[in-house]
Each structure stands twice: as structure tokens, then as C-alpha cells.
Amino acid sequence: MIPQEIIRQKRDGGVLSTDEIQSFIAALSTGELSEGQIGAFAMAVWFKGMSRGETVALTLAMARSGDMLTWPGIDHPIADKHSTGGVGDNVSLMLAPIAAACGLAVPMISGRGLGHTGGTLDKLESIPGYQIRPDAAVFRNVVDEAGCAIIGQTGSLAPADGKLYAVRDVTATVDSIPLITASILSKKLAAGLQTLVLDVKTGNGAFMADHEQAKLLAQSLVDVANGAGIKTSALITDMNQPLADAAGNAVEIWNCLDFLAGRKAGTRLETVVVALAAEMLVSSGICPSLKNGEVKAREALTSGKAAEVFARMVHMLGGPADFVEKPAKSLVKAPIERPVLVSESGWLSACNAREIGMTVIDLGGGRRRPADKIDHRVGFAALLPLGTRVEKGDTLAIVHAASEAAAQKAAASIASSYRICGNAPSLPPVISGRI
């Protein structure tokens, strides 16, 4: 295999064979390629794209570059969900235990925050003692006994993806649909999944702000995942406002506990969580229809079974045994809680979700550089949803901050991120498509 010939062929719009792709990824994995060659390959793909067959081959090659998990002895369907990321998107925290309570085994490998979007692992690290990278035996045991385990990617799972992504990140090639597809799905294939449900976000707080681009990404992910042997479907969901009424880390854990206790019924968040749960249950053969799946998911919530699964998972991964019953003992609150007041009466008609995410980072709840330490206490709670009628002086949100100065700055930023109009707005549906 001559790397530059593969790069030239793709640069000129050629179709690479499975053997060529496998050889290139094998050389990448063993350190035989220079960063320049990896970057040139990524740029060639960015400009020329890949066919479905090429993308399947790339996904499989990256998945097989490290360990491939199997789940002998677990007699439940192995299922997972992946989101393309958003603001106030803590769906995984509730979805995994709901799905497990309904009879699925959910080995959920999650990530940290990326750009303005929050990361599931950062949220879970708000819980004292929670191990985001347990050894393989512990991971397997938690999935077996609790029904689900939400952990971080280890270096042994799809290591080629990590090497390729590091170069993509500094060569402006992150937003290539074939490369995004292979990156997401290689880790899911390596995790030994049987079924997968995808939540592809669109709107001003999503990486794919354009709805048509989000549809293209969703279609690519579904086609390639099914082509690689994982039964997969996708929902396209709205990210023109935070999904939960909280954005941050510990504040989203509080939000998760409220959700599992049944205090978030009727919200956009509940709509997305229940819909994704239904997709997982139908894909895995547990439920015959999406309607039946939604009923089963809601029963897992109202019965308290999902909360029990979450509590068991947290404790088995090192968290407090009484975390769900007494979270205030463990979750540290920010010293400053400041209300953001509405400046005029009217209807909340629009907001800049990306700016809200960036404000969380500015408070210290996210990273500007990979080595930055996160302040898990900070963020926003009690965010009002769009379409709410407000009066001047109402509370739009509550800032959780480390200092009064930071709280004041964040409050001004949040206030300016919302638009108020005189009439009730027409808002996009929270779920706009299914593939």
C-alpha cells in the first residue's frame, strides 16, 4: 500500500476499494502515516466525499482497529443511542435506565462536551466517585446486573478513530458527512451493539444547523450502520432552544433526577426521551409498535423502575448508594444563584441556543482547551421554553455561578439570547423526521 496513491485517487474523485481503505486505516493505526498524509486524506474526503460502500468500509476498518466487545451470557438485546449533540441535551441520562428497565442491555459509550454542546461524561462526573472509565470486567458486570452503564471511550475501542479525529480537528475537516458517520459508528460497532437509535439535531444550537444537511447526515448514518450490520433508525430533533430547562453539568443531573421522579411530564425533553425509547424497543423486538413502546417507556418511569436502574448503575460505578434518594448530600451547588429577569412582556419567540451553550463555557462549565478543568456547579436552571407568555419581571432562568461578577455577565448574556414578540410564535416540532 502506497499512501500517497490512495490520497491521489480520492483527491481525483476515485472510488477506493475495501482493501485500500483497510490498508490505509491499518497504517494509520500502527503509526506508519505522517500527520500530513492523514490530513491530506481527510481533506480529499471532505472535498470529494465517499460512496456508501466506501463509508461502510471505512467504518468497519476503524471499528476493527482495536477491541471488539462481545456480550456472552447477557440474554437481553444489546442496544444504544447516539446524539449529534446539543444544549441542555441530557437525554442519555434518562434514556439508558428507561430502556434497561424495559428489558434492554445498554452499554452506552459517551463523550465529553464538544464546542458549545454539553458532554454526558462531564455531567456524570458531577457525581462523587462515579467512574467514567471502569475496567472491562466492571463495565460488563454493571451492564449485566444494572441493565445499563454509561461510560467513556477507552483507548482500546476504535483507536484509529481517535487518531483520525485529532487530525481532522486541526485541519478543518470535522464537518464531513462520511467522516462524521465513520467516527460515530466505528465506536458503536466496536461496542458490540445489535441495534442503534440516532438523535440527529438541527437548528441554531446544533452542529448541523441546516435541516437538509441534518437529513443527509441522518440518512448516511442509518444507511452505513445498517450496511455494517447494526439495525438502525434515526430521529431528527429540534435544537433551536435548549432541550431541557437546564444547561450545565450538576444542574442537568438535578434535571435528570426530577425527570426520573416524574416531574418533567409534558415537556419537549419527555417527548424526545420517550420517542427514542420507543425506537429502541421496537428495533430490538421487545415492542411491536412505536405506540406500544411509548406506553412501556412511560410505565418504566411512573413505576419508579427507571429511577431504580439509574440508582443501581450510579452505585455500581462508584457513586453514592443513596444518590437518588439524597442527591443534595453529593451534588455541590454553586455559591451564587441569580435570577435572570424578563425585561418586557410578551411571548418568548426565539433564542440563540448556541450562545447559551457558549455562556455555560464562559461560566466555567465547559472547556476552551482540552486540558481545561470544568466547574461542575455552574450553568442555568429553570430556563423557560419558547412559546411561553411572560410578563416584565418574570424569571427567565436562574444562573448558577462561582462569583457575583460571573453571574451578572451570564445573566446579561442569557437575557440577550432571547427574543420577545407580541404574538404567540409558530415553533418547529421537537421531532421533525424519522429515517
Side-chain angles (χ1 to χ4, degrees), residues 71-97:
W71 302 95
I74 295 181
D75 58 358
H76 300 287
I78 310 298
D80 195 5
K81 158 263 180 191
H82 178 84
S83 168
T84 56
V87 180
D89 178 8
N90 58 357
V91 166
S92 293
L93 300 175
M94 296 82 71
L95 179 61

Side-chain angles (χ1 to χ4, degrees), residues 199-411:
D199 181 2
V200 179
K201 305 291 186 185
T202 185
N204 65 57
F207 284 113
M208 289 291 181
D210 179 76
H211 190 269
E212 290 306 310
Q213 283 295 107
K215 283 176 63 178
L216 287 174
L217 175 58
Q219 191 68 63
S220 173
L221 286 162
V222 169
D223 288 347
V224 171
N226 281 294
I230 302 178
K231 187 176 181 182
T232 301
S233 61
L235 298 182
I236 300 173
T237 65
D238 179 61
M239 189 39 66
N240 284 297
Q241 60 176 305
L243 183 56
D245 60 10
N249 293 295
V251 289
E252 289 193 53
I253 295 292
W254 279 108
N255 181 271
C256 161
L257 297 174
D258 284 342
F259 188 104
L260 292 172
R263 293 190 284 271
K264 298 296 177 182
T267 61
R268 297 169 72 252
L269 178 62
E270 186 198 42
T271 298
V272 172
V273 170
V274 170
L276 289 168
E279 291 282 340
M280 293 175 74
L281 294 170
V282 170
S283 293
S284 299
I286 285 181
C287 290
S289 68
L290 293 174
K291 183 176 180 180
N292 181 262
E294 290 185 0
V295 170
K296 194 172 183 69
R298 293 183 194 280
E299 286 175 351
L301 269 174
T302 56
S303 68
K305 289 181 180 178
E308 291 173 8
V309 170
F310 183 79
R312 190 156 57 247
M313 177 190 75
V314 167
H315 183 46
M316 291 185 72
L317 285 170
D322 60 352
F323 179 71
V324 169
E325 294 80 12
K326 300 176 181 178
K329 285 173 52 180
S330 304
L331 289 174
V332 180
K333 290 194 173 184
I336 305 296
E337 294 185 20
R338 179 191 182 99
V340 182
L341 303 182
V342 175
S343 60
E344 60 181 302
S345 299
W347 298 84
L348 296 179
S349 60
C351 77
N352 186 333
R354 185 181 189 280
E355 183 59 29
I356 293 171
M358 294 304 296
T359 304
V360 172
I361 295 174
D362 197 44
L363 280 166
R367 299 176 184 84
R368 292 183 174 87
R369 297 175 298 274
D372 285 351
K373 186 177 180 181
I374 280 183
D375 185 345
H376 292 90
R377 305 170 299 173
V378 303
F380 300 97
L383 286 159
L384 293 181
L386 298 184
T388 301
R389 170 72 190 184
V390 293
E391 302 297 332
K392 183 177 180 179
D394 285 352
T395 298
L396 174 64
I398 297 173
V399 181
H400 293 242
S403 70
E404 185 59 47
Q408 186 172 348
K409 181 181 178 183

